């Protein structure tokens, strides 16, 4: 609150963050708060179909499948239990392939599920060099975002930028307090469902 009091401007990543901040800190003048989205300078990757197939072959991704990628932190805030539910419900779906890249407190939970259930359409990587990750993302079809359904503070995961950089559609499963789903759907670059709603996700 002391920091807010001495700040001329306060930047929030989305309108939901602005609304939350002002609601819980009525002493802040609304004129000092603005939306300042997380952003990057876009770089054109221009990966053609031949290169894309080579990358998929390198990582052992079955040809002809729709490839979903989740990249980023694998911790409590991401609602990993629901991610595992989604993997379970699609383990016999030969049309899709899931790639999970990241690290965090829940990495071993996913690893244990894969060791037990042995789904043939899921791959798990514990981090990749940034350049390798960016190339792999560009060889996938759909970016995944997960957040725990219990969140009351609006979160806005920065991994959205990697997916947008790759010009790929996004499927987000989050709590109802973040507006990332509204932004994805109003921008016509993906779909949103509430975390925990397996039918809606599928």
């Amino acid at each position: 609150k002391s920091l807010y009091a001495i700040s001329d401007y306060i930047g929030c990543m989305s309108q939901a963050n602005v609304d939350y901040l002002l609601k819980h800190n009525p002493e802040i003048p609304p004129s000092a708060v603005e939306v300042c989205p997380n952003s990057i300078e876009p770089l054109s990757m221009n990966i053609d179909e031949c290169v894309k197939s080579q990358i998929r072959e390198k990582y052992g991704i079955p040809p002809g499948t729709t490839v979903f990628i989740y990249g980023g932190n694998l911790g409590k805030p991401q609602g990993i239990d629901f991610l595992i539910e989604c993997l379970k419900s699609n383990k016999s779906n030969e049309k899709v392939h899931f790639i999970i890249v990241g690290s965090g407190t829940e990495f071993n939970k996913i690893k244990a599920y894969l060791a037990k259930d042995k789904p043939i359409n899921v791959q798990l990587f514990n981090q990749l060099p940034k350049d390798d990750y960016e190339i792999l993302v560009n060889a996938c079809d759909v970016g995944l975002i997960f957040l725990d359904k219990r969140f009351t503070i609006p979160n806005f995961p920065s991994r959205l930028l990697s997916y947008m950089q790759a010009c790929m559609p996004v499927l987000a499963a989050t709590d109802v307090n973040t507006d990332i789903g509204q932004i994805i759907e109003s921008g016509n670059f993906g779909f949103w469902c509430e975390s925990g709603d397996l039918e809606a996700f599928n």
Side-chain angles (χ1 to χ4, degrees), residues 1 9 13 32 34-35 63 69 78 91 110 126 139-140 155 157-158 190 193:
K1 286 187 177 284
Y9 294 99
M13 289 177 68
E34 60 185 43
V35 175
I69 185 164
Q78 284 68 47
K91 73 175 187 177
I110 299 174
N126 185 355
C140 295
N155 283 278
S158 59
C193 69

Side-chain angles (χ1 to χ4, degrees), residues 55-73:
I55 294 166
R56 290 190 178 195
E57 191 176 330
K58 174 184 174 180
Y59 286 100
I61 300 167
T65 56
T66 300
V67 184
F68 293 79
I69 185 164
Y70 174 92
N73 191 35

Side-chain angles (χ1 to χ4, degrees), residues 4-157:
Y4 292 155
I6 63 166
S7 298
D8 296 315
Y9 294 99
I10 301 169
C12 295
M13 289 177 68
S14 72
Q15 187 59 47
N17 295 132
V18 171
D19 297 341
Y20 183 92
L21 186 71
L22 293 175
K23 178 182 176 184
H24 293 277
N25 301 276
E27 71 282 1
I28 297 175
S31 59
V33 186
E34 60 185 43
V35 175
C36 180
N38 199 357
S39 59
I40 54 170
E41 189 67 39
L43 299 169
S44 178
M45 296 291 281
N46 286 332
I47 293 180
D48 64 29
E49 288 304 313
C50 181
V51 174
K52 192 181 278 191
S53 335
Q54 288 171 356
I55 294 166
R56 290 190 178 195
E57 191 176 330
K58 174 184 174 180
Y59 286 100
I61 300 167
T65 56
T66 300
V67 184
F68 293 79
I69 185 164
Y70 174 92
N73 191 35
L74 298 167
K76 296 282 185 193
Q78 284 68 47
I80 297 304
D81 287 341
F82 183 59
L83 169 57
I84 291 172
E85 274 186 57
C86 295
L87 298 177
K88 278 182 184 176
S89 73
N90 283 281
K91 73 175 187 177
S92 55
N93 185 348
E94 295 176 359
K95 295 179 181 177
V96 300
H97 191 79
F98 294 93
I99 295 177
I100 302 162
V101 184
S103 62
T105 57
E106 306 297 279
F107 178 87
N108 286 331
K109 183 180 273 191
I110 299 174
K111 191 176 177 182
Y113 159 67
L114 297 181
K116 182 185 173 188
D117 248 25
K118 296 181 173 54
I120 58 168
N121 62 352
V122 183
Q123 286 175 284
L124 177 65
F125 297 99
N126 185 355
Q127 296 288 34
L128 286 173
K130 188 176 187 301
D131 290 348
D132 286 16
Y133 173 70
E134 293 295 342
I135 291 169
L136 178 58
V137 169
N138 278 270
C140 295
D141 300 306
V142 182
L144 295 172
I145 288 176
F146 284 86
L147 285 174
D148 193 293
K149 65 182 178 183
R150 295 169 296 176
F151 269 119
T152 57
I153 297 171
N155 283 278
F156 208 95

